[in-house]
Amino acid sequence: MVLIKEYRVCMPLTVEEYKIGQLYMIARHSLEQSDEGEGVEVMDNKPCEDPVHGKGQYTEKRIHLSNRLPYWIQAICPRVFYVTEKSWNYYPYTLT
């Protein structure tokens, strides 16, 4: 026999307010990390729909890492070094 326990934590805000706050903090962090061509570059940002999760937001970002690498790697890597991130955000589910 399996005993299932459920715990609930009271939050001082609604789920919709938390969603807005989470999106704001992600955008703010991306802005703070971006300077002089470095940081996060948003390539595509559009609404999308999934048969399982419903409506959501598709985002494709380039995260530029040239200045974040050690100097010895910067010497051998090309000046334009980035990672591409594709994510589908169906709040509260995220596929990245």
Side-chain angles (χ1 to χ4, degrees), residues 50-94:
D50 185 60
V52 176
H53 301 296
K55 292 184 178 183
Q57 190 77 13
Y58 167 75
T59 306
E60 182 178 345
K61 299 177 187 176
R62 283 186 183 167
I63 304 168
H64 295 273
L65 300 172
S66 297
N67 288 344
R68 306 239 191 282
L69 296 173
Y71 291 113
W72 64 274
I73 295 179
Q74 287 182 18
I76 60 174
C77 276
R79 195 68 193 134
V80 182
F81 182 73
Y82 61 86
V83 175
T84 301
E85 175 195 50
K86 296 180 181 181
S87 64
W88 294 262
N89 186 1
Y90 308 103
Y91 190 81
Y93 304 104
T94 302

Side-chain angles (χ1 to χ4, degrees), residues 4-15:
I4 297 175
K5 292 187 178 184
E6 180 178 315
Y7 297 96
R8 295 182 183 217
V9 178
C10 296
M11 298 289 288
L13 48 129
T14 65
V15 174

